[in-house]
């Protein structure tokens, strides 16, 4: 059993800790750093509730060892808005893109990455893009509307 | 669930990785971790040590060179999805990548891991058999190339020797008149196949001069359906040849009853998917002529 000193930049802030090799990134984020916006919804890498941006790319943090994230940049839902609400968060608020909210942090991070890559996605692109994130409440209809609204807001921001 | 304890190593070179594997017989390589970590969480795998490949340079990338498409073992599925080269010239590979797991998993899952894991449910092995791909392995006695047809020896087992690491996958370069398709039937996004079929064809003067047909998740390993290939080769790809290939593929399948369906049902799925995959491969091969 080995333990390792790791340094991970989370939401712009660097954190250095000694961790056991088997510690999962999601537990590092929730338990070591107390950032509980990243959720755990399954044991099978299926639900996407634990999605964070790992070097800008959506990743299921329940299936990454914290040691393997040494040197990485991670964004969690706490780091999504910069002071205020991110357009994706505003989209989810305005279009009721959530009910219980359990899937929402992961859903929003996946949506942000999708919009960064494809600012004007079709409904099919959105449904395809979020297909690794499960929602048990909304039936996805309002999530799709929320992402469409976020896309509009992001365009307004970049025009203005 | 919490995985069992292990020693973690992240070497900078293949030589060091290979040495670590030989020094720790209970060690395993870690690539994207998206098969291994779930198995460790369920304690289906309890490796004493993990040797992470992430710091070794030169293990990822996609390029054509020396008559092959070369894919580094650590190339992520999402990189295949975003590669213009793969999307425009290797339709069988493009089809396969798109139906592996889900978009978030594909950001970390590697092509090498998919092949080396050799789960009968993994989708790349059948595509690689149909392509007549080969795999480059580096180990204590240097580098060697293994044909896909010699690689998959059983469920979760391959012909990689102790201390060997898969470094590259080579697919014969696409030329005029080549085309392929992968057709998978799954219960929902992110699930392993009920059954899936890979077909790769080569046309020569309107006739099929070469065919690869292979099946996913209907046996202990991916299955190369030689009789289905034989039914296609020499034909013009008409309905009679496609029907014969579909029958032969269904006969080559060796499925069991499980939560994804009965053996008879899966054989019927193989028959239908072989027809569809061959028909689509033919259209694409004609377009590439
Ligand atoms: C929810 C979910 C759904 C999935 N659905 C599908 C699906 O539909 N189809 C499908 O094909 N796959 C599916 N997968 C599996 C996924 O594609 C895996 O990530 C992949 O099979 C293994 O790749 P990896 O890089 O994650 O390998 P790892 O998990 O890191 O490794 C897997 C095994 O391969 C060995 N290995 C890895 N790289 C090498 C190498 N270079 N040389 C030698 N040995 C090596 C490791 O030691 C280990 O034993 C799914 C996974 C999840 C979590
Ligand atoms: S907790 Fe479900 S995918 Fe990570
Ligand atoms: S809002 Fe409840 S799971 Fe999505």
């Amino acid at each position: 059993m080995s333990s390792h000193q790791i340094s991970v930049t989370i939401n712009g802030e660097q954190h250095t800790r000694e961790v056991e090799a088997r510690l999962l990134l999601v537990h590092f984020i929730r338990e070591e750093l107390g950032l509980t916006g990243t959720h755990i919804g399954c044991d099978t890498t299926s639900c996407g509730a634990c999605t964070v941006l790992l070097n800008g790319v959506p990743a299921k943090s329940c299936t990454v060892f914290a040691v393997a994230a040494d040197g990485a940049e991670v964004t969690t839902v706490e780091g999504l808005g910069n002071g205020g609400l991110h357009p994706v968060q505003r989209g989810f608020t305005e279009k009721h893109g959530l009910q219980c909210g359990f899937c929402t942090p992961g859903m929003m991070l996946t949506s942000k990455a999708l919009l960064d890559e494809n600012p004007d996605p079709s409904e099919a692109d959105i449904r395809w893009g979020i297909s690794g994130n499960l929602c048990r409440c909304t039936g996805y209809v309002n999530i799709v509307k929320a992402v469409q609204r976020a896309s509009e807001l992001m365009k307004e921001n970049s025009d203005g | 669930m919490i995985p069992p304890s292990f020693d973690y190593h992240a070497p900078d070179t293949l030589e060091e990785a290979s040495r670590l594997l030989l020094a720790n017989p209970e060690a395993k390589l870690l690539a994207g971790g998206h098969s291994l970590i779930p198995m460790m969480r369920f304690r289906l795998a309890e490796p004493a040590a993990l040797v992470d490949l992430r710091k070794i340079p030169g293990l990822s990338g996609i390029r054509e060179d020396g008559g092959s498409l070369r894919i580094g073992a650590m190339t992520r599925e999402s990189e295949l999805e975003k590669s213009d080269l793969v999307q425009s010239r290797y339709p069988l590979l493009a089809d396969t990548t798109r139906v592996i797991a889900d978009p978030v998993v594909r950001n970390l899952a590697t092509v090498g891991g998919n092949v080396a894991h050799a789960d009968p449910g993994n989708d790349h092995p059948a595509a690689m058999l149909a392509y007549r791909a080969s795999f480059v392995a580096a180990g204590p006695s240097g580098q060697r190339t293994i044909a896909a047809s010699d690689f998959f020896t059983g469920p979760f087992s391959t012909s990689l020797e102790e201390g060997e690491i898969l470094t590259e996958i080579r697919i014969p370069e696409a030329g005029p008149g080549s085309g392929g398709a992968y057709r998978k039937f799954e219960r929902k996004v992110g699930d392993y196949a009920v059954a899936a079929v890979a077909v790769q064809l080569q046309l020569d003067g309107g006739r099929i001069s070469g065919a690869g047909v292979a099946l996913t998740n209907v046996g202990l390993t991916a299955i190369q359906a030689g009789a289905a290939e034989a039914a296609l080769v020499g034909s013009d790809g008409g309905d009679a040849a496609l029907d014969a290939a579909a029958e032969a593929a269904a006969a080559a399948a060796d499925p069991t009853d499980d939560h994804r369906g009965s053996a008879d049902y899966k054989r019927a799925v193989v028959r239908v998917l072989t027809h569809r995959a061959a028909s689509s491969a033919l259209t694409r091969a004609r377009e590439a002529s």
Side-chain angles (χ1 to χ4, degrees):
Chain A
M1 179 186 97
S2 57
S3 71
H4 303 262
Q5 177 163 313
I6 62 165
S7 210
V8 187
T9 303
I10 300 198
N11 304 328
E13 200 181 314
Q14 191 172 336
H15 299 270
T16 303
R17 293 279 195 288
E18 186 79 16
V19 299
E20 216 188 310
R22 65 172 171 166
L23 184 72
L24 295 165
L25 180 59
V26 71
H27 291 134
F28 179 72
I29 292 170
R30 289 177 56 86
E31 286 157 28
E32 287 282 330
L33 305 180
L35 295 170
T36 53
T38 303
H39 294 164
I40 302 176
C42 73
D43 276 318
T44 52
T45 318
S46 311
C47 74
C50 63
T51 304
V52 299
L53 301 182
L54 184 59
N55 296 320
V57 174
K60 297 186 179 182
S61 63
C62 69
T63 311
V64 175
F65 289 117
V67 267
D70 183 29
E73 299 252 353
V74 174
T75 304
T76 68
V77 69
E78 289 90 345
L80 188 51
N82 211 344
L85 291 182
H86 185 275
V88 170
Q89 291 171 309
R90 285 179 55 198
F92 273 73
T93 315
E94 289 178 25
K95 296 293 171 185
H96 307 287
L98 60 142
Q99 288 177 21
C100 79
F102 201 82
C103 69
T104 315
M107 203 58 97
M108 292 196 302
L109 289 163
T110 297
S111 302
K112 177 196 184 289
L114 172 74
L115 291 170
D116 285 345
E117 216 172 88
N118 180 2
D120 205 8
S122 67
E123 176 176 345
D125 293 338
I126 296 170
R127 288 185 176 272
W128 175 256
I130 62 171
S131 61
N133 295 80
L134 303 183
C135 177
R136 299 272 98 157
C137 301
T138 63
Y140 301 100
V141 173
N142 283 358
I143 294 179
V144 172
K145 288 184 186 159
V147 179
Q148 287 167 329
R149 178 68 187 134
S151 151
E152 286 169 19
L153 288 167
M154 285 167 87
K155 270 183 279 179
E156 283 170 22
N157 283 0
S158 62
D159 291 345
Chain B
M1 281 172 286
I2 313 289
S5 296
F6 58 88
D7 286 328
Y8 174 83
H9 305 274
D12 298 314
T13 63
L14 281 172
E15 293 71 30
E16 179 64 6
S18 177
R19 200 193 57 72
L20 284 163
L21 288 176
L22 287 174
N24 303 283
E26 297 296 310
K28 270 189 171 295
L29 291 168
L30 177 67
H34 274 50
S35 286
L36 189 52
I37 298 174
M39 289 179 78
M40 289 173 67
R41 295 177 74 185
F42 282 103
R43 310 279 166 131
L44 294 172
E46 304 200 25
L50 288 185
V51 179
D52 193 341
L53 293 171
R54 76 189 170 97
K55 287 191 183 161
I56 301 176
L59 286 183
S60 68
I62 307 163
R63 66 198 164 96
E64 282 178 329
D65 191 13
S68 326
L69 178 73
R70 299 178 178 215
I71 304 166
M74 286 293 282
T75 306
R76 314 283 168 174
E77 298 294 344
S78 57
E79 294 174 60
L80 295 184
E81 261 181 301
K82 287 175 192 155
S83 155
D84 290 334
L85 179 59
V86 170
Q87 296 301 322
S88 62
R89 285 170 51 75
Y90 297 89
L92 165 55
L93 188 59
D95 278 358
T96 308
T97 295
R98 227 181 339 258
V99 295
I100 288 176
D102 64 55
V104 182
V105 169
R106 289 198 291 274
N107 285 335
L108 292 188
T110 68
V111 186
N114 197 290
V115 169
H117 191 52
D119 183 330
N122 277 145
D123 291 293
H124 278 310
M128 298 306 167
L129 286 169
Y131 266 131
R132 306 291 192 258
S134 55
F135 305 130
V136 182
S141 44
Q143 180 174 307
R144 66 182 178 121
T145 304
I146 309 163
S149 54
D150 295 328
F151 190 77
F152 303 103
T153 52
F156 307 99
S157 48
T158 68
S159 53
L160 286 175
E161 307 270 356
E162 227 158 281
E164 273 190 326
I165 300 156
L166 174 64
T167 58
E168 189 174 84
I169 292 141
R170 292 185 184 168
I171 290 173
E173 192 172 321
S178 76
Y182 192 68
R183 290 292 174 268
K184 172 175 174 177
F185 190 66
E186 58 189 351
R187 299 173 303 170
K188 58 177 180 62
V189 169
D191 195 17
Y192 292 92
V194 172
V197 180
V199 175
Q200 176 67 19
L201 299 177
Q202 178 65 48
L203 292 180
D204 212 337
R207 295 208 161 259
I208 297 174
S209 59
V213 179
L215 321 175
T216 298
N217 222 8
V218 286
L220 296 177
T221 65
I223 294 172
Q224 185 175 328
E229 296 171 349
L232 293 168
V233 172
S235 79
D236 60 359
D239 266 343
L242 264 51
D243 288 345
E247 280 311 322
D254 188 18
T256 50
D257 298 340
D258 64 15
H259 57 289
R260 290 194 177 83
S262 68
D264 284 348
Y265 171 67
K266 292 179 188 176
R267 231 179 248 109
V269 173
V270 167
R271 184 181 305 114
V272 172
L273 293 182
T274 303
H275 209 288
R276 288 183 190 165
S279 165
S280 168
L282 203 57
T283 306
R284 289 164 169 180
R286 285 184 181 132
E287 282 165 2
S289 292

